[in-house]
Amino acid sequence: MSVEEVKNARSAVEFSREKLESILRGRFFYAPAFDLYGGVSGLYDYGPPGCSFQANVVDVWRKHFILEEDMLEVDCTMLTPYEVLKTSGHVDKFSDWMCRDLKTGEIFRADHLVEEVLEARLKGDQEARGLVADANADAEGDADKKKRKKKVKQIKAVKLEDSVVKEYETVLAKIDGYSGPELGELMELYNIGNPVTGDKLEPPMAFNLMFETAIGPSGQLKGYLRPETAQGQFLNFNKLLEFNNGKTPFASASIGKSFRNEISPRAGLLRVREFLMAEIEHFVDPLDKSHPKFGEVKDIKLSFLPRDVQQAGSTEPLVKTIGEAVSSGMVDNETLGYFIARIYMFLIKIGVDDSKLRFRQHMANEMAHYAADCWDAELKTSYGWIECVGCADRSAFDLTVHSNKTKEKMVVRQKLDTPVEVTKFEIDLTKKLFGPKFRKDAPKVEAYLTNLSQEELEAKANELKSNGKIIFKVDGIEGEIELDDKFVNIEKRTKVEHVREYVPNVIEPSFGIGRIIYSVFEHSFWNRPEDTARGVLSFPPLVAPTKVLLVPLSNHKDLAPITAKVSKILRKEQIAFRVDDSGVSIGKRYARNDELGTPFGVTIDFDSVKDDSVTLRERDSTKQVRGSIEDIIKAIRDITYNGVSWEEGTKNLTPFVSQSETD
Amino acid sequence: MSVEEVKNARSAVEFSREKLESILRGRFFYAPAFDLYGGVSGLYDYGPPGCSFQANVVDVWRKHFILEEDMLEVDCTMLTPYEVLKTSGHVDKFSDWMCRDLKTGEIFRADHLVEEVLEARLKGDQEARGLVADANADAEGDADKKKRKKKVKQIKAVKLEDSVVKEYETVLAKIDGYSGPELGELMELYNIGNPVTGDKLEPPMAFNLMFETAIGPSGQLKGYLRPETAQGQFLNFNKLLEFNNGKTPFASASIGKSFRNEISPRAGLLRVREFLMAEIEHFVDPLDKSHPKFGEVKDIKLSFLPRDVQQAGSTEPLVKTIGEAVSSGMVDNETLGYFIARIYMFLIKIGVDDSKLRFRQHMANEMAHYAADCWDAELKTSYGWIECVGCADRSAFDLTVHSNKTKEKMVVRQKLDTPVEVTKFEIDLTKKLFGPKFRKDAPKVEAYLTNLSQEELEAKANELKSNGKIIFKVDGIEGEIELDDKFVNIEKRTKVEHVREYVPNVIEPSFGIGRIIYSVFEHSFWNRPEDTARGVLSFPPLVAPTKVLLVPLSNHKDLAPITAKVSKILRKEQIAFRVDDSGVSIGKRYARNDELGTPFGVTIDFDSVKDDSVTLRERDSTKQVRGSIEDIIKAIRDITYNGVSWEEGTKNLTPFVSQSETD
């Protein structure tokens, strides 16, 4: 098959998630964890091909980002004390809304419940209007239905008012944006209860998604499993800056597991309780977010779904270069734009289908209040568009909160070429009076005063001037505090500064590796049109779990030395391979291999014994060529690691007329 | 310096742990996690050089074991439900003994407390006898003392009876082997209480070392963070066997974090609460533990500390080949021996000092009751000999307990070339009678009977014959159960079997990566005799965090294009490098670099601008050679990745007379 023919073949048979999952589980790409013990939802193990695929993706990630950009990789602990995650906001805000059924003890995730019930009612309406034959027979296979543990077991054909249909559709379009109380109101309004019994549920309660544990034997030190790798990077900022000789911009990076105690996990590998993340924190001057290498990526064309398009109710992406996107102000700055382009390049390299990739800008209500801009790389799968990479400008939020909490400065000191005059309010404390007056509270009062912002100082200066005293409250000290000008002096002063101090902003590309991997599985999967039972996973050779299947034509003892010889060379070259000497037909072995996504087959036959030649088969086109062992391995290496095409890599090899693939 | 001179120089200055740790922390190899928040003992973060060193060690491990032996790598979840770890024995047995001081609230680890107090008394005795000047001034630096949080703050010079000294020494030699109650008796006998207040402590209580958490929103599903990666591999045995086309022997492997809630962590990176493990489970026929590749390793000489030598009170290792060790029966079998040799090769490859490595056999009381044999690779550090790799023959224990618990068979089916006649007892149940008699308990009773061993069946057969009935008890059912021969029939039958079914045994090499890394840090560290303030970390190039330091002689703009050119080539070749254009003297930059363990320095000077030549410096010998950029990079690649020596790799390059190293 030619390149064009392969392309056509890949889209000839309709995608079936059921077929894909049957292969992924059958070939042990992954499996539900602890299924011997009945399984635990949201936990999956990767078997050998899945694990190897994951390792290859991580390896490409490390080279594409860390090595290419000289990032500083760190490996921080997953166990995290309460105090850190309290400061970061996770203790208070990292939660979903859940509703309990007090009769049955069932627990529902509120937004998912509203979504499923309204979707089911809309489908029932469609059936009642005669627009679908049977609303229960939707596109998902039985296996999927069972796995997703649908709350709505049976859809009833009930016609709705036109206005109600419209209302439901509006709610569904905004389902990700509702607060808990709002979800509670919707459930009240639309009479949404337990979908099986119809009973009313308790109003939505916030459920924190972090796994809690106790550190040490006393049980006193409360900790969590980290919900992201980012906090460890922020906490090490000062050490990283020093390691980088005090220079910015620079980036740290971390690859590791994070945890999320989902209320009711669904959608297979896409929503799990333990997952691999790869995160970058790029620290940059807030006054200069240009990027020196932006020119190298500016002409890359991407699909954007910016905020205004979404507000207009459209999902039609704008296709433009990242250069245009930044210069028009749609993407906030060059550094953010640079990473968006690099994310794109990475995803394409590991096998994401370009036509199923878009960058969606966060709506104002989705974005954390401190974020300057945020774009998600979304990948289209049979579950819809899935957020797989976030790319946010988090401003100076994280460093600031940790610095405020710990009273440890986290700043960059930039030596100024030309010193500048700076005018600002300063406060002087007559410290010897504080001790006698406040005793043990003195440090708290002093800290409060020295941490006042310029605006606050200005107000206090005026207060002191007008009233001869200032009045304020300090957290943890009862009552108001009054101080006169014997205690404090606030003045506007002009000074010459030689060093500029600033808290850097953070651009954070954050990758959910498991979601990306599952999406690549879907994007790579197809069935051969000539035999639709035959599935193929067309992974790029670079990330394929195994690069070569070594196939001796038979178990004849004469072939064994050649198999051993090729094995030895492949092992020395560190090209991952497997030998299949199972004795079933070549066609069956190739078919098995296509399911594992192995790009190359090397066949050893009786001619190999005579002249050391072997046959090389390409997975997608099933094309075969013949050559010496050395030349064949060189072709494999060039195509796998050096970006050479099959045509180019095999041009000096002899085309080989293959046996039937389906024998 | 010649190779011999380097060797001498490396041992000229006495090792100082304090100096090493100051470099490791100063250069951010690692740091206490969350130190901005006061730190959490037993948790450490790896900074860029530590993280990179760890990644390189893991990469070598993966190639040395997984790729070389075609092992099946899996990635299983850390969150593990209660039931699994109850079955494996961890819920009941994975604990240390702790003692509380009810007055102060302090918690002590019982064995460590007894050890420290007796050691302190022995030191005090030494001082009282005039054998040491000041027992408080021991070999450890102040920083170490502080960090280890010694319980015994001040040693008193008190002379002991000779017989007491002997008793203490005997106790210390066996300190790892005492049970909790025994430790309690020792504390009673020797009057060991809180070392500061002298108050009595509560008797030792078992403290389970697993971190506990709850999975899901109901809080009902109790889980733990895994204490080892092994269980995930055992639970996936059937899938792995199928993936391997039903063939044994084969091995699975897993690299990932495990957790241990230490009572009071000490000894820095050697005893931590979250750590990276790499574990192999090699599944093998219990009747044939030979290994096809044993011949390749049999002549490797190792230091062994077998059980009988230890029992004789000696620590003098036997040096012999692994071939002799296995043939003499000292090491139980070839497969265990093969892995011991491969462990040795791996450790040497990543920089372990051969003279500080021994294999110590577990004493009978250290070993789990099911284990057939167990050897630890121990590395000598300033903390003593540290267990870094365990290599155990765990027999069929793990698969058997999970299989018994879940009633899922976990066996290998081997087709027999010649069918065999097998005579064994079989039990027939008249199932239709069980339901009416036992109702809901019927499955339990049936399972009990069908799971009886051959010995038990023989006994029951005799009982049935003699008494016409059998009497037994079943877990979870009250009272005795009586069944006559209408319910059961037990007979000895002879059958021809075509398939042999067996539970494979498991050989388990288990690596504590963090401990190995810290030991390599110690083994690699030395101070230059000519300037003892200069520390060097002589990592093998293969695992060094960064391979090349790129040093432009000055910040002159003419040098920038050459720096960019060399950078581009190194990046393309994926050789990790850093540019140091900080402008301090070359000598200072090299010194900084020696502390980071970077094996090569490439210096760019004004001659480079003229003829594209650069200088290559070797870290340990400080030797320098000159050549073209291409030749220098080729030398770096050959020495780093292809096992070529410095002499061989640079023989065609021109020796270069260096500037002073200490300018």
Side-chain angles (χ1 to χ4, degrees):
Chain A
M1 283 198 286
S2 69
V3 174
E4 194 57 32
E5 283 167 334
V6 170
K7 208 177 149 194
N8 292 335
R10 285 185 62 166
S11 54
V13 183
E14 207 192 350
F15 172 82
S16 152
R17 193 201 296 161
E18 212 175 335
K19 280 187 188 166
L20 169 63
E21 292 202 341
S22 136
I23 285 176
L24 292 177
R25 292 182 182 222
R27 295 294 170 209
F28 200 10
F29 275 84
Y30 73 94
F34 313 111
D35 61 353
L36 216 54
Y37 282 80
V40 177
S41 57
L43 295 182
Y44 293 89
D45 292 341
Y46 284 105
C51 189
S52 170
F53 189 80
Q54 177 182 265
N56 294 340
V57 166
V58 166
D59 189 53
V60 172
W61 193 89
R62 197 176 253 131
K63 283 169 180 159
H64 183 83
F65 290 104
I66 297 183
L67 200 66
E68 181 67 28
E69 315 278 355
D70 296 327
M71 292 175 180
L72 307 180
E73 189 176 352
V74 294
D75 183 15
C76 304
T77 62
M78 298 171 203
L79 288 165
T80 309
Y82 170 87
E83 207 59 24
V84 170
L85 293 161
K86 177 72 184 172
T87 306
S88 69
H90 288 88
V91 169
D92 297 323
K93 288 179 190 159
F94 190 68
S95 47
D96 279 340
W97 298 96
M98 68 172 184
C99 299
R100 279 177 199 276
D101 182 326
L102 286 185
K103 280 195 196 156
T104 64
E106 280 173 284
I107 295 173
F108 301 90
R109 181 167 154 184
D111 55 342
H112 286 180
L113 180 66
V114 170
E115 189 177 16
E116 279 193 27
V117 170
L118 297 191
E119 275 174 357
R121 288 182 191 168
L122 286 175
K123 279 187 189 153
D125 170 74
Q126 294 262 304
E127 188 182 338
R129 289 169 191 248
L131 296 172
V132 292
D134 176 6
N136 286 295
D138 63 1
E140 294 185 65
D142 280 343
D144 294 324
K145 265 191 211 154
K146 223 172 94 193
K147 220 183 58 265
R148 281 187 61 180
K149 289 190 192 127
K150 279 214 158 190
K151 309 294 181 237
V152 180
K153 309 294 179 191
Q154 186 65 36
I155 295 172
K156 290 185 196 113
V158 177
K159 189 169 179 302
L160 305 170
E161 299 288 322
D162 286 359
S163 63
V164 172
V165 169
K166 206 149 211 173
E167 268 186 62
Y168 283 6
E169 283 170 347
T170 312
V171 169
L172 287 172
K174 297 194 288 182
I175 192 72
D176 291 338
Y178 291 110
S179 69
E182 285 167 346
L183 289 166
E185 282 165 28
L186 290 173
M187 292 168 68
E188 220 30 87
L189 183 64
Y190 298 129
N191 193 26
I192 297 173
N194 185 322
V196 173
T197 65
D199 284 332
K200 238 188 112 169
L201 304 174
E202 283 204 298
M205 277 167 45
F207 172 70
N208 193 291
L209 299 174
M210 292 192 292
F211 287 97
E212 195 180 313
T213 191
I215 302 172
S218 71
Q220 303 295 303
L221 183 57
K222 190 160 146 178
Y224 298 99
L225 295 176
R226 67 179 175 199
E228 58 177 17
T229 72
Q231 298 305 320
Q233 299 182 60
F234 297 138
L235 294 183
N236 282 305
F237 172 74
N238 284 343
K239 295 194 188 82
L240 290 165
L241 180 65
E242 192 194 332
F243 186 83
N244 207 45
N245 295 329
K247 287 185 197 168
T248 53
F250 75 90
S252 62
S254 198
I255 304 166
K257 294 278 165 76
S258 295
F259 301 83
R260 205 181 149 107
N261 195 8
E262 295 286 348
I263 293 173
S264 61
R266 55 179 197 181
L269 290 183
L270 293 178
R271 189 169 291 279
V272 296
R273 287 176 165 151
E274 182 178 327
F275 48 92
L276 190 64
M277 288 185 96
E279 290 189 301
I280 295 164
E281 310 298 332
H282 182 89
F283 300 97
V284 63
D285 186 340
L287 301 183
D288 178 12
K289 296 186 180 176
S290 66
H291 196 289
K293 287 158 83 180
F294 187 70
E296 292 176 19
V297 302
K298 70 176 190 346
D299 295 328
I300 293 176
K301 276 208 168 130
L302 304 171
S303 291
F304 294 98
L305 202 60
R307 204 170 289 150
D308 52 1
V309 171
Q310 296 170 65
Q311 262 154 357
S314 166
T315 56
E316 195 58 49
L318 305 180
V319 177
K320 52 168 80 181
T321 67
I322 188 69
E324 290 163 348
V326 170
S327 64
S328 69
M330 187 176 87
V331 167
D332 187 74
N333 58 71
E334 274 191 8
T335 300
L336 194 60
Y338 178 73
F339 279 111
I340 287 175
R342 294 284 301 166
I343 290 166
Y344 169 85
M345 290 164 73
F346 166 74
L347 292 173
I348 297 302
K349 199 186 277 184
I350 63 165
V352 163
D353 179 342
D354 198 358
S355 70
K356 293 175 179 168
L357 163 58
R358 71 181 185 194
F359 287 90
R360 188 180 71 79
Q361 189 172 31
H362 274 205
M363 304 298 286
N365 66 344
E366 277 178 88
M367 216 159 53
H369 62 92
Y370 50 81
D373 196 4
C374 183
W375 292 82
D376 286 341
E378 294 187 331
L379 302 181
K380 194 177 179 183
T381 71
S382 61
Y383 294 98
W385 284 95
I386 303 296
E387 172 200 340
C388 289
V389 188
C391 192
D393 182 333
R394 300 173 62 96
S395 75
F397 176 77
D398 308 275
L399 295 183
T400 306
V401 294
H402 287 301
S403 175
N404 287 347
K405 176 72 191 173
T406 62
K407 306 294 170 217
E408 195 84 35
K409 268 195 171 181
M410 296 172 97
V411 295
V412 176
R413 287 177 189 84
Q414 181 193 16
K415 212 177 153 187
L416 295 172
D417 293 334
T418 42
V420 290
E421 279 201 348
V422 178
T423 302
K424 60 182 180 188
F425 285 93
E426 290 187 340
I427 187 164
D428 309 315
L429 310 181
T430 316
K431 290 215 179 172
K432 63 176 181 193
L433 298 178
F434 277 68
K437 185 171 170 79
F438 297 107
R439 286 192 294 261
K440 70 170 178 35
D441 286 337
K444 269 190 209 162
V445 179
E446 291 175 22
Y448 172 83
L449 292 171
T450 48
N451 279 315
L452 291 173
S453 68
Q454 281 296 306
E455 292 71 35
E456 290 164 332
L457 277 178
E458 181 166 8
K460 287 283 171 240
N462 293 335
E463 191 183 343
L464 193 62
K465 206 170 169 187
S466 325
N467 313 336
K469 63 185 181 186
I470 55 174
I471 300 173
F472 53 96
K473 284 184 61 63
V474 175
D475 263 9
I477 302 180
E478 265 191 40
E480 289 189 335
I481 296 171
E482 247 187 66
L483 292 179
D484 63 21
D485 53 16
K486 286 196 291 293
F487 283 82
V488 292
N489 172 36
I490 307 176
E491 259 179 34
K492 200 173 195 171
R493 292 179 191 137
T494 299
K495 284 185 177 172
V496 176
E497 290 191 349
H498 298 264
V499 171
R500 175 184 158 230
E501 242 180 32
Y502 63 87
V503 181
N505 280 12
V506 172
I507 312 279
E508 182 195 65
S510 169
F511 297 70
I513 299 293
R515 288 182 169 198
I516 295 172
I517 285 177
Y518 177 77
S519 303
V520 173
F521 288 163
E522 280 208 5
H523 293 191
S524 304
F525 181 66
W526 55 292
N527 296 85
R528 296 212 187 268
E530 66 273 22
D531 178 1
T532 56
R534 287 187 59 180
V536 186
L537 282 164
S538 285
F539 301 134
L542 187 61
V543 289
T546 298
K547 313 306 180 196
V548 178
L549 179 78
L550 208 53
V551 198
L553 198 64
S554 80
N555 279 328
H556 195 285
K557 69 171 173 34
D558 286 359
L559 300 184
I562 309 285
T563 310
K565 183 175 175 178
V566 179
S567 297
K568 199 174 164 187
I569 300 175
L570 288 171
R571 192 166 279 136
K572 182 159 180 296
E573 300 247 349
Q574 300 183 338
I575 295 171
F577 71 100
R578 276 177 70 84
V579 176
D580 187 346
D581 52 5
S582 63
V584 301
S585 77
I586 293 278
K588 278 217 184 85
R589 283 186 272 177
Y590 283 151
R592 184 147 73 189
N593 200 54
D594 289 348
E595 292 188 352
L596 283 163
T598 308
F600 304 110
V602 169
T603 312
I604 291 161
D605 54 28
F606 292 95
D607 285 337
S608 310
V609 182
K610 287 179 221 154
D611 63 2
D612 251 19
S613 72
V614 292
T615 304
L616 177 66
R617 169 191 183 262
E618 200 273 331
R619 173 196 58 209
D620 299 350
S621 63
T622 71
K623 271 188 192 163
Q624 299 196 24
V625 293
R626 185 100 187 170
S628 71
I629 294 175
E630 285 66 32
D631 288 347
I632 294 285
I633 288 180
K634 182 177 183 309
I636 292 171
R637 197 178 44 230
D638 283 347
I639 299 170
T640 305
Y641 297 109
N642 303 332
V644 169
S645 70
W646 167 264
E647 284 65 32
E648 179 65 20
T650 60
K651 67 178 177 201
N652 297 324
L653 299 167
T654 320
F656 186 77
V657 180
S658 69
Q659 295 182 276
S660 166
E661 277 277 327
T662 47
D663 64 348
Chain B
M1 284 197 284
S2 68
V3 174
E4 194 57 32
E5 284 167 332
V6 169
K7 209 177 149 193
N8 293 333
R10 283 184 63 165
S11 54
V13 183
E14 206 192 349
F15 173 80
S16 152
R17 192 201 296 160
E18 211 174 335
K19 281 187 188 166
L20 169 62
E21 292 202 341
S22 136
I23 285 175
L24 292 177
R25 292 181 183 222
R27 296 293 170 211
F28 201 9
F29 275 85
Y30 72 94
F34 314 111
D35 61 351
L36 215 56
Y37 282 80
V40 177
S41 57
L43 295 181
Y44 293 89
D45 291 342
Y46 285 105
C51 189
S52 170
F53 189 81
Q54 177 182 265
N56 294 340
V57 166
V58 166
D59 188 54
V60 172
W61 192 91
R62 196 174 253 132
K63 284 170 181 158
H64 183 84
F65 290 103
I66 297 184
L67 200 65
E68 182 66 29
E69 316 278 355
D70 296 326
M71 292 177 179
L72 307 181
E73 189 176 351
V74 294
D75 183 13
C76 304
T77 62
M78 299 172 203
L79 288 165
T80 308
Y82 170 88
E83 207 60 23
V84 169
L85 292 162
K86 176 74 183 169
T87 305
S88 69
H90 287 89
V91 169
D92 296 323
K93 288 178 190 159
F94 190 68
S95 46
D96 280 338
W97 298 95
M98 69 171 183
C99 299
R100 276 176 200 277
D101 182 325
L102 286 184
K103 281 194 196 156
T104 65
E106 280 174 283
I107 294 172
F108 300 91
R109 183 167 151 181
D111 55 343
H112 286 180
L113 181 66
V114 170
E115 188 177 18
E116 278 194 28
V117 169
L118 297 191
E119 275 175 357
R121 288 183 191 169
L122 287 174
K123 278 187 190 155
D125 170 73
Q126 295 261 306
E127 188 182 337
R129 289 171 190 247
L131 296 172
V132 293
D134 176 6
N136 286 295
D138 65 357
E140 295 185 64
D142 281 342
D144 294 323
K145 267 193 211 151
K146 222 172 96 195
K147 219 183 59 269
R148 281 186 60 180
K149 289 192 193 123
K150 279 213 157 195
K151 308 294 181 238
V152 180
K153 309 292 180 194
Q154 185 66 34
I155 295 172
K156 289 185 198 118
V158 177
K159 188 170 179 303
L160 305 169
E161 297 289 321
D162 285 359
S163 63
V164 172
V165 169
K166 207 147 210 174
E167 268 187 61
Y168 284 6
E169 282 169 349
T170 313
V171 169
L172 287 173
K174 298 195 286 184
I175 193 71
D176 290 339
Y178 291 110
S179 69
E182 284 167 346
L183 288 167
E185 282 165 28
L186 290 172
M187 291 168 68
E188 212 43 77
L189 183 63
Y190 298 128
N191 194 28
I192 297 173
N194 185 323
V196 174
T197 64
D199 284 333
K200 239 188 112 170
L201 304 174
E202 282 204 298
M205 279 167 46
F207 172 70
N208 193 291
L209 298 174
M210 292 192 294
F211 287 97
E212 193 181 315
T213 192
I215 303 172
S218 71
Q220 304 293 303
L221 182 58
K222 190 160 145 178
Y224 296 100
L225 295 177
R226 66 177 176 201
E228 58 176 19
T229 71
Q231 298 306 319
Q233 299 182 61
F234 298 137
L235 294 183
N236 281 306
F237 172 74
N238 283 344
K239 294 193 188 83
L240 290 165
L241 179 66
E242 191 194 334
F243 186 83
N244 208 44
N245 294 330
K247 287 184 195 168
T248 54
F250 74 90
S252 62
S254 198
I255 302 166
K257 295 276 166 76
S258 295
F259 301 82
R260 203 181 152 107
N261 196 6
E262 294 287 348
I263 293 173
S264 61
R266 55 179 196 180
L269 290 183
L270 293 178
R271 190 169 288 281
V272 295
R273 286 175 163 153
E274 181 176 329
F275 48 92
L276 189 64
M277 290 185 96
E279 290 190 302
I280 294 164
E281 311 297 332
H282 182 89
F283 299 97
V284 61
D285 185 341
L287 302 182
D288 179 12
K289 294 185 181 178
S290 66
H291 195 287
K293 286 159 82 180
F294 186 70
E296 292 176 19
V297 302
K298 72 176 186 350
D299 296 326
I300 293 178
K301 275 207 168 128
L302 303 172
S303 291
F304 293 99
L305 201 61
R307 205 171 287 150
D308 51 0
V309 170
Q310 296 171 66
Q311 261 154 358
S314 167
T315 56
E316 194 58 47
L318 305 180
V319 178
K320 51 169 79 181
T321 66
I322 188 70
E324 290 161 350
V326 170
S327 64
S328 70
M330 187 175 86
V331 167
D332 187 76
N333 58 71
E334 273 191 9
T335 298
L336 193 60
Y338 178 73
F339 278 112
I340 287 174
R342 293 285 300 168
I343 289 166
Y344 169 85
M345 291 164 71
F346 166 73
L347 291 174
I348 298 302
K349 198 185 276 184
I350 62 164
V352 163
D353 179 343
D354 199 358
S355 70
K356 294 177 179 166
L357 164 57
R358 71 180 185 194
F359 287 89
R360 190 180 70 79
Q361 191 173 30
H362 274 205
M363 305 297 287
N365 67 344
E366 275 179 271
M367 216 159 54
H369 63 92
Y370 51 81
D373 195 4
C374 182
W375 291 82
D376 285 342
E378 294 187 330
L379 302 181
K380 195 177 178 183
T381 72
S382 61
Y383 294 98
W385 285 96
I386 302 296
E387 171 201 340
C388 289
V389 188
C391 192
D393 182 334
R394 300 174 61 96
S395 75
F397 176 76
D398 308 277
L399 294 183
T400 306
V401 292
H402 286 301
S403 175
N404 287 348
K405 177 70 192 174
T406 61
K407 306 291 167 222
E408 194 82 36
K409 267 195 173 182
M410 295 171 97
V411 295
V412 176
R413 288 179 187 82
Q414 181 192 16
K415 213 178 152 187
L416 295 172
D417 292 337
T418 42
V420 289
E421 279 202 347
V422 177
T423 303
K424 59 182 180 187
F425 285 93
E426 289 187 340
I427 186 164
D428 310 315
L429 310 182
T430 317
K431 291 215 178 173
K432 63 176 180 195
L433 299 179
F434 277 67
K437 184 171 169 79
F438 296 107
R439 283 191 296 259
K440 71 169 178 31
D441 286 335
K444 270 191 208 160
V445 178
E446 291 176 22
Y448 172 83
L449 292 170
T450 49
N451 279 316
L452 290 174
S453 68
Q454 280 297 306
E455 292 71 36
E456 291 164 332
L457 277 179
E458 180 164 11
K460 287 283 171 239
N462 293 336
E463 190 182 343
L464 193 61
K465 207 171 170 186
S466 326
N467 312 336
K469 64 184 180 186
I470 56 174
I471 300 174
F472 54 95
K473 283 183 60 64
V474 175
D475 263 9
I477 301 179
E478 265 190 43
E480 288 188 333
I481 296 171
E482 247 186 65
L483 292 179
D484 62 20
D485 53 14
K486 287 195 290 293
F487 283 82
V488 292
N489 172 37
I490 307 177
E491 259 179 36
K492 200 173 195 171
R493 294 179 190 136
T494 299
K495 285 186 177 173
V496 175
E497 290 192 348
H498 298 263
V499 171
R500 175 181 158 232
E501 240 181 33
Y502 63 87
V503 181
N505 280 10
V506 172
I507 312 280
E508 183 195 65
S510 167
F511 297 70
I513 299 292
R515 289 182 169 198
I516 295 172
I517 285 177
Y518 178 76
S519 304
V520 173
F521 287 164
E522 280 208 4
H523 293 190
S524 304
F525 181 65
W526 55 293
N527 296 86
R528 296 211 186 268
E530 66 275 19
D531 179 0
T532 56
R534 285 187 60 181
V536 186
L537 282 164
S538 285
F539 301 133
L542 186 60
V543 289
T546 298
K547 313 306 182 196
V548 178
L549 179 78
L550 208 53
V551 197
L553 198 64
S554 78
N555 279 327
H556 196 286
K557 67 173 177 31
D558 285 0
L559 301 184
I562 309 287
T563 309
K565 183 175 176 181
V566 179
S567 299
K568 198 173 166 189
I569 300 175
L570 288 170
R571 191 166 278 133
K572 183 160 179 295
E573 299 247 348
Q574 299 183 340
I575 295 172
F577 71 100
R578 275 176 70 84
V579 176
D580 187 346
D581 52 6
S582 63
V584 301
S585 76
I586 293 277
K588 279 217 182 84
R589 282 186 273 178
Y590 282 152
R592 185 148 73 191
N593 200 54
D594 290 347
E595 292 188 353
L596 284 163
T598 309
F600 305 110
V602 170
T603 312
I604 291 160
D605 54 28
F606 292 95
D607 286 339
S608 310
V609 182
K610 288 180 219 152
D611 62 3
D612 252 18
S613 73
V614 292
T615 305
L616 177 66
R617 170 191 182 262
E618 199 275 330
R619 174 195 57 208
D620 300 351
S621 63
T622 72
K623 271 188 192 162
Q624 300 197 21
V625 294
R626 185 99 188 170
S628 70
I629 295 174
E630 285 66 32
D631 288 346
I632 294 285
I633 287 179
K634 181 176 183 311
I636 292 170
R637 197 178 45 229
D638 283 347
I639 300 170
T640 304
Y641 297 108
N642 302 333
V644 170
S645 70
W646 168 264
E647 285 66 33
E648 179 65 20
T650 61
K651 67 180 177 200
N652 296 325
L653 299 167
T654 319
F656 186 76
V657 180
S658 69
Q659 295 182 275
S660 166
E661 277 277 327
T662 47
D663 63 347

